[in-house]
Amino acid sequence: MFSGVYTALITPFKKGKVDFDALGKLIESQYKAGVNGIVPCGTTGESPTLSHEEHEQIIEFCVKQAKGKMKILAGTGSNSTAEAIRFTQFAKKVGCDGALMVAPYYNKPTQKGLYLHFKKVADLVNIPIVLYNIMGRASVNIEPTTIAKLCKDCKNIIGVKEASGSLSQMSAIKALVPNIELLSGDDALTLHVLSIGGIGVISVLSNLLPLETLSLIRAFEKGNIKEAKKIHYKFLPLVNALFMETNPIPVKTAAAMLGICSSEIRLPMCEMEESNKLKLKKVLKDFKLLK
């Protein structure tokens, strides 16, 4: 259901407010490039610093702009189960195709707590759910056995965005749940994830280069592994540059350099260090994205 390239949308800001004009243009550029879908209000969209009202406004705006053109997989996760239910119900109400639910952060729930959290949302909201496993930000790992139990007990939990960085863990998940939709949560690992049965990527890079991100997936799907490897290595320096500081600082900085939106970011995220900004600019020039 969620195969291909799903762009983890940045949230453009202007003078402290969501810049819906810039967001609309970004969505349109993604549609014209042919991406399979968009993911608003995720990590890259700075969801932790969005108000509840902004979170819902952005999701609804994305549905109005993109429904019928590409799929909308809305970020609806929270470290509060009640809040996750609210956002997921809203995503369902306005017409999203699915919900991306991050592991509850800061609380550090047990595996039983994780199971009960996701199950409660899945039981209450009949919408396709993709789990989001990112221990580096959540401080807890959704273990493969927990994912398997959730998929068995909740038919609307259909996939997982894996940003653990562990191909061993991803392989274990696929071994336990062969039909799960495995999506790469790291642009640098997309090719690797495809090779073990993944079906796509939730991408940061595609905010800037949607066509090029798509080209890797399409080459792999056609069995042209040599071409897919070539694309992987070609864009790896840019991918690495986009993560030289905490996401989404570099990608928003790059977006500003390319005229997509301002680089405005909300505290506690802050402006990119000048030395890193110069490195990023050089990489963009190397790729002929900047003169």
Side-chain angles (χ1 to χ4, degrees):
M1 182 172 183
F2 296 114
S3 63
V5 172
Y6 279 73
T7 301
L9 291 177
I10 55 178
T11 299
F13 295 122
K14 190 174 184 180
K15 296 181 181 178
K17 305 291 185 182
V18 177
D19 184 351
F20 285 102
D21 286 341
L23 180 58
K25 289 173 184 175
L26 176 60
I27 292 168
E28 186 63 19
S29 71
Q30 296 296 311
Y31 167 64
K32 286 180 178 177
V35 301
N36 302 87
I38 51 175
V39 183
C41 301
T43 303
T44 310
E46 297 177 72
S47 60
T49 53
L50 296 175
S51 69
H52 287 186
E53 183 182 21
E54 288 173 330
H55 197 122
E56 292 179 349
Q57 285 175 343
I58 290 166
I59 289 173
E60 188 166 18
F61 180 83
C62 287
V63 172
K64 287 178 178 176
Q65 294 288 310
K67 192 70 174 177
K69 297 179 177 179
M70 50 189 168
K71 291 180 179 175
I72 303 100
L73 180 63
T76 65
S78 173
N79 65 335
S80 159
T81 304
E83 190 172 286
I85 291 167
R86 169 187 166 165
F87 285 144
T88 308
Q89 286 175 331
F90 182 82
K92 165 81 174 176
K93 183 179 80 172
V94 298
C96 291
D97 298 284
L100 178 70
M101 293 193 59
V102 70
Y105 37 87
Y106 189 78
N107 314 60
K108 263 186 128 173
T110 62
Q111 292 301 305
K112 180 180 178 181
L114 288 170
Y115 170 82
L116 293 171
H117 168 82
F118 289 119
K119 186 176 188 301
K120 185 158 188 176
V121 181
D123 286 346
L124 289 174
V125 192
N126 185 22
I127 190 173
I129 291 172
V130 176
L131 306 176
Y132 180 11
N133 207 9
I134 181 162
M135 186 174 179
R137 293 214 188 223
S139 84
V140 288
N141 183 50
I142 316 171
E143 298 292 339
T145 51
T146 303
I147 292 172
K149 184 170 172 56
L150 282 164
C151 289
K152 177 177 176 290
D153 296 344
C154 309
K155 298 308 178 189
N156 54 328
I157 294 180
I158 63 164
V160 59
K161 174 188 176 183
E162 253 293 339
S164 66
S166 171
L167 290 169
S168 176
Q169 172 164 288
M170 297 179 216
S171 298
I173 293 168
K174 284 296 288 183
L176 289 169
V177 193
N179 64 339
I180 195 169
E181 298 193 1
L182 174 63
L183 294 159
S184 173
D186 295 296
D187 282 292
L189 290 181
T190 301
L191 181 59
H192 307 68
V193 175
L194 293 174
S195 73
I196 61 168
I199 60 168
V201 60
I202 295 178
S203 173
V204 174
L205 176 65
S206 58
N207 279 283
L208 310 178
L209 296 176
L211 274 172
E212 290 78 359
T213 308
L214 270 168
S215 66
L216 189 154
I217 303 282
R218 288 173 175 168
F220 188 91
E221 288 175 344
K222 290 176 182 176
N224 192 344
I225 308 304
K226 185 176 179 180
E227 178 64 15
K229 284 166 66 177
K230 181 180 175 184
I231 296 165
H232 165 75
Y233 284 112
K234 177 181 178 181
F235 291 102
L236 193 57
L238 178 53
V239 169
N240 290 337
L242 292 180
F243 291 91
M244 68 171 74
E245 286 189 19
T246 306
N247 180 48
I249 296 170
V251 70
K252 285 197 103 171
T253 305
M257 291 177 183
L258 300 180
I260 295 170
C261 64
S262 86
S263 61
E264 188 175 325
I265 200 157
R266 284 183 175 171
L267 287 169
M269 295 291 187
C270 62
E271 186 178 351
M272 197 171 191
E273 293 288 347
E274 194 60 36
S275 58
N276 285 335
K277 196 183 290 186
L278 291 171
K279 291 175 187 174
L280 178 60
K281 185 175 284 188
K282 182 182 182 305
V283 173
L284 292 173
K285 285 181 177 179
D286 289 344
F287 278 89
K288 295 182 171 48
L289 297 173
L290 280 177
K291 292 182 180 178

